[in-house]
Amino acid sequence: MQKLTKAEEEIMQLFWDKGPSLVSALIDEMSEPKPPHSSVSSIVRILEKKGFVNHKAYGKTYEYFPIISKKEYSRFSVKRLVTNYFEGSVNELVSFLVKENDLTLSELEGIRQELSRKK
């Protein structure tokens, strides 16, 4: 799986939220100022080449749909984050989040309980 650019990820978020969509429907969901149709269409075609979306053709109209789930991409992104910034250690990531106050003790306890249930 490849890393997405910010623009590609924004469009994938729309697919994950809305499901199958025409390019024009994606643009309707975007905030102002709305990008040109050609720009969004180009990004969607790039996403298709990267294997994130596929399409169904209805004449000259294409309806695109995600083939990589948000969960699959999240798993890939977190593994990449841990590998690139925390020397492959999930413990280092959790320690960092605790030290930066991005993770409270009650959240940490919730994670511990979730891990206990999985065992």
Side-chain angles (χ1 to χ4, degrees):
M1 187 176 305
Q2 297 179 43
K3 181 181 182 297
L4 297 176
T5 66
K6 184 177 178 183
E8 292 166 350
E9 193 168 330
E10 180 182 339
I11 290 175
M12 281 306 299
Q13 289 290 346
L14 293 172
F15 278 121
W16 290 323
D17 291 344
K18 292 182 52 67
S21 301
L22 305 176
V23 170
S24 57
L26 295 174
I27 294 169
D28 289 344
E29 294 295 316
M30 295 175 157
S31 56
E32 294 291 339
K34 299 199 185 277
H37 187 280
S38 60
S39 297
V40 176
S41 183
S42 292
I43 293 169
V44 171
R45 285 193 309 276
I46 290 167
L47 287 168
E48 189 170 23
K49 285 180 187 172
K50 286 184 171 184
F52 281 83
V53 300
N54 204 342
H55 72 273
K56 290 181 186 174
Y58 302 99
K60 292 183 179 182
T61 303
Y62 284 19
E63 179 183 51
Y64 293 91
F65 54 92
I67 55 177
I68 298 290
S69 71
K70 187 174 186 175
K71 186 174 184 175
E72 288 173 296
Y73 189 69
S74 296
R75 186 179 303 118
F76 165 78
S77 295
V78 170
K79 283 181 181 179
R80 191 170 176 279
L81 174 77
V82 170
T83 299
N84 291 342
Y85 295 97
F86 298 99
E87 299 167 12
S89 170
V90 174
N91 288 339
E92 290 291 327
L93 170 63
V94 172
S95 177
F96 174 81
L97 292 172
V98 170
K99 287 176 186 173
E100 294 297 315
N101 295 319
D102 290 339
L103 191 62
T104 66
L105 289 176
S106 62
E107 290 170 327
L108 198 55
E109 177 60 23
I111 291 169
R112 189 194 66 73
Q113 288 174 2
E114 182 69 27
L115 290 172
S116 293
R117 280 194 293 272
K118 289 204 178 228
K119 287 182 180 181

